[in-house]
Amino acid sequence: MTENVVQKVFDELRRVLGDRTTQSLMHRMAYSRDWSPRQKNATDFPDVVVIPKTTEEMVRIGEIAYRYEIPIIPFGGGTGMGGGIAAWKGGIMVETKGMNQVLEIDEENMTATVQTGITIWELNEILSGKGLWFPHQPESKRSVTIGASIGCDNDSTFGLRYGKIKDYLTNAVIVTGRAEAVRVGQRKVNFSSTGYKLLDLLVGSEGTLGVVTEATVRVLPIPATRQIRGYFLRSLNEAAKGLERILSAGITVESAHINCRHRLHFYTHTYRQKFGREPHVPEWAEVILFLSFSGDEEIVDFTVERAGQILVQKYHSQPIEEKELVEGWWDSKHRLEFIPFKQKWPDSQRQKKFGSADLGLPIGRLDEGYRRYLEIAKKWDQEILGMTVYNESPNKVTASISFAVFVDDSNEESVRKFYQYVKEMSEMAIQLEGTMSSYIGDGDRLGGFNQLEHGIGLEYMRRIKEVFDPKNIMNPGKKFESRWIT
Amino acid sequence: MNWTEGLSTYRDDIYTCNRTRCGFCREECPVYRVKGYETYSCRGKMLVARGLMEGLLEPSKEMAEMLERCLLCGYCQARCALRNMDIITVMRQSMETKGFAARTHRENVDKIMKEGRLFEAQVLTKKKGKTAVFIGCLYRSKPKELSTIFSVLEKLDMDIGFGEESCCSYVIEATGFTKEFEEAKARCQKNLEKEKSNGMLTFCPTCTITLKEKYELPVQHAILAVHQRLKEPQIAKRIKPLKLRATYHDPCHLGRMLGIFEEPREILKQLGVEIIEMEHNRYFSTCCGGGGGLRAVDDKLSIDISKNRVLDAARTGTEMIVTVCPTCESTLLRASGRVMNQINKFIDVQSLWDLLDKSMNS
């Protein structure tokens, strides 16, 4: 982009948005990175930052970008781990959080229609006043928006019972790369067998088809009670089997997180630090399984007891005695009642950067995945943090896995080693008949390389992109191109 | 130490925030809520701090203006274990060193240095009494509010005394004038020489935190002494319950920074006030809009922030905010009048001292 073009774009945007347009380096600095691993002094400066308030303003921005062929990068919570908002091709950074209004809460039909810049936390605060909640809740929910959740197809703490954002979306408005606002989906119902499912295309599209500005989502009544439990088990596969048995018994479980022995040590260490005493951990314990249940009190009481019986009697499990240890899990995953960086080890990122390969694996290959993870992380000098298996599909065991490491982000070479680690882990996922990414997305890391997963399908995806975005202005440098993995 | 060295002291904290970007501090930042750019949130400022530290960005008028639009309310600090407020203060110092501080801040600093006060004092009298108090220049400019406090203390049989004072100079430090603050501090400390060992009561939360933490004086906010007195049965029986519903706004300096959350609420309950809490309360309360010297440089923004806080209060369904800080009282009351049309009702703002005075027999 020449300076001349950028100046013209800025001037035109300014005429539409006034003070909600800036090209100051200071403001651009504040939009220069997300949570993804990169060198600690890395920056990707957008050329301009804008804050639209409506779909109509977003269309005007799109028109200007289309005319000058300048990229548009939608910015949501800024907590992504795949470089989805990295403006490495320059362009207009769209601060979507200016579009943060609730347009309608329809209590009769149990839907909420919102501008997509609202955070999930804020939406839930508003819904709670009416006894409702929106159960799609990633750990970044304090910061992350509805739009970013659609764009990134991120994970949810409550996935095992309620699924992810695609399970709630009934319609959405996208401003495409043609600068047209298109409402896709089916008003206030969750399904339709007419036409193509354009709404599904938006989920995980990472802003490469357009900017999603409005969405209608199904909401639910807040459950009356909730209980959480933790169990020690002997293997990851056994934990998955135990969970499968619980579900097949007719029990509903909201959350099920299966943690490897490294993660087990994280939780026991945190407990030790906080309470100054040793938790009771059996010598054979290799895995912690955490579960949450919700609903009416007597039903929850019954299901908690029965789930415990299944795990203990059939899967040789042992319940965690220390209630505080289980509460610690829930505080970190749902309540978010912790102060970042207060703890010194091991989740603090004071010295190194948290990084993750987020693979989806078949449920019978968890132990094999864990073994390979240890080998591959060692090969690329990555400090192992641990493996957590999230369940993200309603009422069935699935494995969306975080294989976490600490990345040395002091220099580019060591960051590149991390991406070599991600690459080899991705190859392993395909060998094991899984997927390279289950909640982070392609971002600026897997694009192009993901042909390994999609084959000729990637070419069809490219053609779909052309329909929505013929000039390739919507978040270029993502999904079809990588600057880390080739 | 120059400002770049000052910022480098916090190098690890700055990089830690940059590499993490959790955003816990962002959504409820009162300034970000109005301005909308990440830059105004703490995590945005931490990227700007890195830019300054690495020389990617230079101090500028624009940067000074952005930093001056911070309330130093400490909300971000409450959400994070990094030293955010110290970093923002160092950044403000760097702007002042480079000559970019707002002219109104410079004028206010000059006024305090010359006259020993920021606000026009109406009350300059001295008084002898058993318990030493530090009034502060804001309360000295508000005879009505001050006489209410005196009335309450008299009804509690507390014999207070006070003498010459100079401004605590919080605003000098908060706006980045390090050198001047050291001078002002020395002058204030000299006036308070006697209280070094005796201790004293304070009325203004900002004076309290400054005298306590910057001057290391054994001061205590007077509301704690009132709380203690009201525990005595013969004093407690003087209360005539008010039968009110209200929400309580925690002043940032009194609540988040001094940890005084429950005592004002317990007093309110004792006065017969049913408290309906706002969503953001106690440690995670949000600022009234009057902090950090903002009113001096951007009154419109200050009012917009105050309006948001009044709207927070309106959502509780109550029609009264009670607080105990001269800045919060006036900023919230001012905003309340301006949101009347929006919410079709007037949210009254009362000082806890007012309610105490009304409920107690002489």
Side-chain angles (χ1 to χ4, degrees), chain A residues 27 31 35 77 97 143 409, chain B residues 19-20 26 32 38-39 43:
Chain A
H27 287 300
Y31 289 88
W35 194 31
K97 295 190 292 297
S143 201
D409 64 355
Chain B
R19 67 161 68 92
T20 311
R26 192 194 62 209
Y32 167 79
E38 283 266 332
T39 328
R43 89 170 179 177

Side-chain angles (χ1 to χ4, degrees), chain B residues 26-173:
Chain B
R26 192 194 62 209
E27 280 304 302
E28 279 111 20
C29 164
V31 181
Y32 167 79
R33 271 172 85 181
V34 176
K35 300 293 281 184
Y37 286 111
E38 283 266 332
T39 328
Y40 290 95
S41 72
C42 185
R43 89 170 179 177
K45 287 192 186 78
M46 292 305 112
L47 275 166
V48 175
R50 196 190 105 199
L52 274 176
M53 194 171 68
E54 292 177 356
L56 291 169
L57 302 175
E58 289 294 326
S60 64
K61 188 74 193 152
E62 180 196 38
M63 197 179 290
E65 285 175 359
M66 180 275 288
L67 291 164
E68 281 160 356
R69 276 144 192 81
C70 170
L71 298 153
L72 290 180
C73 70
Y75 180 85
C76 53
Q77 188 80 64
R79 286 281 177 211
C80 180
L82 302 177
R83 292 166 290 176
N84 306 313
M85 284 178 68
D86 291 347
I87 296 169
I88 294 168
T89 304
V90 170
M91 288 165 83
R92 281 184 165 193
Q93 286 163 3
S94 71
M95 298 302 123
E96 195 282 316
T97 310
K98 290 281 181 179
F100 293 117
R103 205 174 63 196
T104 46
H105 283 335
R106 177 83 259 173
E107 287 166 0
N108 285 340
V109 170
D110 289 346
K111 181 177 164 64
I112 298 172
M113 298 309 290
K114 194 173 157 199
E115 300 174 21
R117 60 176 185 263
L118 177 58
F119 302 98
E120 290 312 319
Q122 307 284 325
V123 185
L124 288 166
T125 46
K126 294 181 187 178
K127 180 182 175 299
K128 283 189 178 170
K130 284 182 193 161
T131 307
V133 298
F134 183 89
I135 296 173
C137 61
L138 181 51
Y139 267 128
R140 280 181 183 260
S141 73
K142 293 171 175 269
K144 187 172 164 290
E145 286 81 353
L146 190 59
S147 62
T148 305
I149 298 177
F150 287 173
S151 166
V152 171
L153 297 178
E154 194 179 300
K155 287 174 184 178
L156 293 167
D157 303 334
M158 291 169 72
D159 178 24
I160 57 163
F162 47 87
E164 288 281 337
E165 288 176 5
S166 61
C167 173
C168 73
S169 304
Y170 162 81
V171 77
I172 300 184
E173 202 216 8

Side-chain angles (χ1 to χ4, degrees), chain B residues 105-346:
Chain B
H105 283 335
R106 177 83 259 173
E107 287 166 0
N108 285 340
V109 170
D110 289 346
K111 181 177 164 64
I112 298 172
M113 298 309 290
K114 194 173 157 199
E115 300 174 21
R117 60 176 185 263
L118 177 58
F119 302 98
E120 290 312 319
Q122 307 284 325
V123 185
L124 288 166
T125 46
K126 294 181 187 178
K127 180 182 175 299
K128 283 189 178 170
K130 284 182 193 161
T131 307
V133 298
F134 183 89
I135 296 173
C137 61
L138 181 51
Y139 267 128
R140 280 181 183 260
S141 73
K142 293 171 175 269
K144 187 172 164 290
E145 286 81 353
L146 190 59
S147 62
T148 305
I149 298 177
F150 287 173
S151 166
V152 171
L153 297 178
E154 194 179 300
K155 287 174 184 178
L156 293 167
D157 303 334
M158 291 169 72
D159 178 24
I160 57 163
F162 47 87
E164 288 281 337
E165 288 176 5
S166 61
C167 173
C168 73
S169 304
Y170 162 81
V171 77
I172 300 184
E173 202 216 8
T175 52
F177 292 78
T178 326
K179 193 164 70 61
E180 288 84 348
F181 179 66
E182 289 308 316
E183 281 177 43
K185 181 178 165 183
R187 181 174 61 185
C188 191
Q189 274 175 325
K190 197 177 160 198
N191 285 338
L192 300 174
E193 194 62 36
K194 217 167 60 186
E195 279 69 31
K196 259 187 184 170
S197 48
N198 298 338
M200 67 199 306
L201 297 181
T202 47
F203 298 153
C204 167
T206 302
C207 297
T208 315
I209 191 95
T210 310
L211 298 185
K212 191 173 180 138
E213 295 201 345
K214 299 294 173 185
Y215 301 3
E216 296 175 352
L217 290 171
V219 298
Q220 186 189 48
H221 194 277
I223 212 68
L224 296 180
V226 170
H227 180 251
Q228 279 300 318
R229 292 292 280 163
L230 288 173
K231 282 185 178 167
E232 294 170 25
Q234 75 277 16
I235 300 280
K237 70 184 178 191
R238 295 177 192 171
I239 293 172
K240 203 173 103 195
L242 294 168
K243 293 180 187 160
L244 291 173
R245 282 172 88 239
T247 191
Y248 176 73
H249 167 79
D250 292 277
C252 302
H253 286 150
L254 190 73
R256 192 154 39 232
M257 296 180 199
L258 287 164
I260 300 172
F261 300 114
E262 301 312 322
E263 292 85 351
R265 287 176 168 81
E266 284 170 16
I267 294 172
L268 278 171
K269 282 178 195 160
Q270 207 170 344
L271 300 184
V273 179
E274 183 194 352
I275 304 170
I276 313 291
E277 294 289 353
M278 285 185 265
E279 182 191 333
H280 304 296
N281 62 65
R282 294 181 171 83
Y283 200 53
F284 299 116
S285 173
T286 56
C287 180
C288 69
L294 179 66
R295 281 179 73 165
V297 293
D298 194 340
D299 206 34
K300 184 183 177 307
L301 176 61
S302 171
I303 291 170
D304 286 344
I305 292 166
S306 309
K307 282 183 188 171
N308 279 339
R309 191 58 177 157
V310 174
L311 292 173
D312 288 347
R315 276 191 280 276
T316 64
T318 61
E319 296 187 3
M320 183 186 288
I321 302 171
V322 182
T323 189
V324 61
C325 164
T327 304
C328 300
E329 286 158 27
S330 63
T331 40
L332 291 173
L333 190 59
R334 186 171 66 146
S336 186
R338 301 194 186 204
V339 294
M340 268 177 75
N341 287 344
Q342 194 179 333
I343 56 176
N344 288 323
K345 62 179 172 182
F346 178 70

Side-chain angles (χ1 to χ4, degrees), chain A residues 37 81 353-359 386 401-405 407 418 421-422 439-440 445:
Chain A
M81 292 168 65
K353 169 85 190 75
F354 178 92
S356 183
D358 62 315
L359 314 181
I401 313 172
S402 162
F403 291 96
V405 295
V407 186
F418 164 74
Y421 156 78
V422 173
Y439 62 89
I440 294 178
R445 50 183 204 141

Side-chain angles (χ1 to χ4, degrees), chain A residues 181-356:
Chain A
V182 186
R183 187 176 289 278
V184 295
Q186 47 283 333
R187 289 149 291 274
K188 290 185 178 176
V189 294
N190 284 75
F191 44 77
S192 168
S193 59
T194 176
Y196 290 122
K197 291 177 175 39
L198 295 183
L199 185 62
D200 288 7
L201 265 182
L202 307 193
V203 180
S205 62
E206 299 182 87
T208 59
L209 302 178
V211 179
V212 180
T213 57
E214 290 172 32
T216 302
V217 292
R218 179 75 158 78
V219 295
L220 299 172
I222 297 174
T225 59
R226 172 170 290 134
Q227 290 192 39
I228 51 176
R229 290 289 186 275
Y231 295 88
F232 295 112
L233 286 115
R234 286 171 166 80
S235 80
L236 296 157
N237 283 359
E238 197 165 41
K241 279 182 187 155
L243 187 57
E244 187 81 38
R245 178 68 199 98
I246 289 170
L247 297 177
S248 65
I251 292 171
T252 54
V253 185
E254 281 185 318
S255 310
H257 294 177
I258 305 170
N259 296 277
C260 74
R261 62 176 297 133
H262 287 86
R263 280 289 186 183
L264 184 154
H265 288 158
F266 163 72
Y267 285 110
T268 53
H269 172 85
T270 308
Y271 175 84
R272 217 174 282 123
Q273 291 282 96
K274 201 166 172 185
F275 299 100
R277 50 181 189 264
E278 197 62 33
H280 299 89
V281 182
E283 271 180 30
W284 48 262
E286 290 288 327
V287 167
I288 285 189
L289 168 65
F290 287 117
L291 303 170
S292 84
F293 308 83
S294 72
D296 290 356
E297 195 174 346
E298 62 271 33
I299 293 174
V300 173
D301 284 345
F302 174 78
T303 53
V304 165
E305 194 186 335
R306 183 56 64 91
Q309 283 170 1
I310 290 171
L311 288 170
V312 171
Q313 290 168 11
K314 296 187 187 298
Y315 295 90
H316 320 293
S317 168
Q318 182 175 310
I320 296 174
E321 289 173 31
E322 293 77 9
K323 198 179 163 202
E324 300 86 351
L325 201 155
V326 185
E327 292 286 338
W329 164 69
W330 199 240
D331 279 346
S332 68
K333 298 292 176 186
H334 173 57
R335 297 191 195 108
L336 304 186
E337 281 179 4
F338 62 93
I339 303 295
F341 315 118
K342 201 167 181 182
Q343 70 278 31
K344 291 193 172 61
W345 180 92
D347 236 4
S348 165
Q349 298 183 70
R350 280 187 182 272
Q351 301 304 325
K352 287 187 173 184
K353 169 85 190 75
F354 178 92
S356 183

